Amino acid sequence: MTWRSRGGSSEIKQSHRVILQPRFWLLAGWAKFSYSPCCRRHSGILLWGSPTCGPAPPEPVPPRASPQPGPRGPAASSALAPAMALQVPLWHHYLQAIRSRAASRAQDYQRAENVLFTVLERVHARDPRFLVDYSRDLEALQFALRSSDGPVDVEVPLRVDAQALLSEELGASETGDGPVSCRLGVPREGAGLEQWMTDDVFTTSSDVSTNCLGHLVPSKVLHVLKDLLVAAIVHCKHHGLIAPGSLKADSLSAEELHLSLLVSSGWRTIRFNVVPVVRWKRQAPALEGAQRAPGFPEGCLKRVTSQEVALVPASAQLWRVSTDYLLTRLLSELGSLPGHRLDSLSILDRVNYETWRDSGQRPGLTFRHLKTVLLWASALFPAPEDWVELQGAVYRLLVVLLCCLATRKLPHFLRPELNLLQDARLDLDALYQRVERFASQPEAALRLHATHLGRSPPPRIGHGVKALLQLPASDPAYWATAYFDVLLDKFQVFHVQDKARISAMQSIFRKTKTLSGEHS
């Protein structure tokens, strides 16, 4: 990790505030978004979609496999043809509507982020223990993909040699569904750590028999950072470094594990969660198995998971390993592949926000949940043909999501023993009903205006599919491509011509047809 200073030292990267000058051009179904060379941020930010890209090109609908069709038989395939003719335009119209907003969202985010960086630069000037990291451009990508204006995490690295600290790992929570947590201790002979042994961030250990002199306390670090942010905001406003009304000191709120700050950018207000982090130059625990997952660019999993991880506040006294940035890196790697992986994520996020969450009026799935679903779907469906057609790409995410809701478990992609559906605020039964209803008849949610009105095709599935979706809970061996291919066939979107894969799918189907209540 590299930071550079305005004066040419090795701490903070030089920056210049300019009016954004975006340029767009097509790149493998996405648009590439860049700023003029005088912009202070990195010149290349991959962005999904652009209002200047024009409508999405028509795509051929792959035929069902022949001469051995899936369990539903040739008759079902013939009946599906009129429905498919209706579906393709709706999916593309919906996608284009989302894309038309992506560029403006990214520019609003960039302006708001520049305001925040101005304040963080002042924080660093007042207390060099807190650094400004300009190298992580991927939050703009995520913000453009999303439909909601939920909070965005911004890491503030601490200027500390993490390798010199003592890590006292406490393991996962008692239920096994929490992140690995630890305390960060300062050794008695820790040279160069004097600035972290002051009372404002440090608590002395009462045990004199150990090598640990004391601990770096997250709650104290957050308190110091809050005071610095308030002073920096006042300074920047007084000296005209930020536009009037773009940020107010009284919008700063101290949460238990982060600092929340509202920044105005045009008509949009973005909430940033400012999080102090300790960068740990070692591989995060339990990530080795993820390196073998297919469906990602060659070597990317090993390259991403071998990067340093972030330790963020887990409580007033404890730190925990955060893999959020690693997952975002994997998401960006998927954007480099041909197909509709990121398009399918944006569509489901929009449907989730507008339909499943009533325009954000009730709790439900987050972008983090859906991002994890895409990562699993990419590993379970590694073949390029799975992502060629837009509707089929969305359904690859849907079958994984439905299975997770039915089994009440969404495994963390890098640490599968962690369940991301443990939030008590989630009504999983109601969520399942909404997602199943959309998967069975998506037309109502996809229609944007009167020209899209028309007769909807009949439901894709009947009763009894939930029992089939619950199989991985009793036998983890079902968490495999062949099982999810059966689910795709249930929803009439299994357009695969690989004979070995068709055979594997039919074999699983024969084992499960009693539970599903359907016969071949």
Side-chain angles (χ1 to χ4, degrees), residues 81-93:
M84 292 296 294
L86 171 65
Q87 292 297 309
V88 173
L90 281 178
W91 290 103
H92 281 292
H93 280 301

Side-chain angles (χ1 to χ4, degrees), residues 2 4 13 33-36 39-45 110 133-137:
T2 301
R4 299 174 186 166
K13 182 178 176 183
F33 182 80
S34 71
Y35 301 100
S36 60
C39 182
R40 75 185 193 170
R41 298 295 308 281
H42 290 189
S43 60
I45 298 180
Q110 191 72 43
D133 181 7
Y134 303 109
S135 66
R136 302 202 163 184
D137 295 324

Side-chain angles (χ1 to χ4, degrees), residues 16-170:
H16 304 278
R17 296 169 188 83
V18 297
I19 298 175
L20 301 179
Q21 300 178 14
R23 299 191 302 270
F24 300 90
W25 63 92
L26 286 177
L27 178 62
W30 282 40
K32 192 162 186 176
F33 182 80
S34 71
Y35 301 100
S36 60
C38 58
C39 182
R40 75 185 193 170
R41 298 295 308 281
H42 290 189
S43 60
I45 298 180
L46 283 178
L47 232 197
W48 166 89
S50 163
T52 63
C53 291
E59 301 175 6
V61 178
R64 286 182 61 88
S66 178
Q68 289 186 314
R72 304 190 70 88
S77 299
S78 300
L80 179 62
M84 292 296 294
L86 171 65
Q87 292 297 309
V88 173
L90 281 178
W91 290 103
H92 281 292
H93 280 301
Y94 198 78
L95 174 61
Q96 187 60 26
I98 302 172
R99 283 185 170 180
S100 67
R101 307 171 186 176
S104 63
R105 284 179 59 84
Q107 292 179 62
D108 287 342
Y109 175 87
Q110 191 72 43
R111 294 187 185 97
E113 188 184 48
N114 282 344
V115 172
L116 181 60
F117 279 150
T118 301
V119 173
L120 292 177
E121 287 167 1
R122 182 60 189 170
V123 168
H124 171 76
R126 291 178 61 92
D127 191 337
R129 293 179 298 180
F130 296 90
L131 301 173
V132 187
D133 181 7
Y134 303 109
S135 66
R136 302 202 163 184
D137 295 324
L138 299 181
E139 288 299 336
L141 164 69
Q142 283 202 137
F143 194 80
L145 285 169
R146 289 164 36 182
S147 292
S148 64
D149 291 336
V152 179
D153 289 343
V154 173
E155 296 181 353
V156 177
L158 305 186
R159 189 178 183 180
V160 59
D161 181 7
Q163 305 306 115
L165 296 174
L166 300 175
S167 174
E168 302 173 8
E169 293 187 3
L170 304 180

Side-chain angles (χ1 to χ4, degrees), residues 105 109 116 139 142-143 146-154 253 255 258-263 269-275 324 353 357 366-368 371 425:
R105 284 179 59 84
Y109 175 87
L116 181 60
E139 288 299 336
Q142 283 202 137
F143 194 80
R146 289 164 36 182
S147 292
S148 64
D149 291 336
V152 179
D153 289 343
V154 173
S253 60
E255 308 294 339
H258 60 262
L259 301 171
S260 182
L261 191 64
L262 293 175
V263 181
T269 299
I270 300 175
R271 180 180 297 276
F272 290 99
N273 289 339
V274 182
V275 184
D324 290 348
Y353 177 73
R357 297 187 58 190
T366 65
F367 185 79
R368 182 192 181 202
K371 178 171 67 174
R425 295 171 297 178

Side-chain angles (χ1 to χ4, degrees), residues 295-314:
F296 292 82
E298 184 177 358
C300 89
L301 277 166
K302 182 177 181 180
R303 182 171 61 255
V304 169
T305 57
S306 63
Q307 293 183 353
E308 61 186 5
V309 297
L311 296 178
V312 301

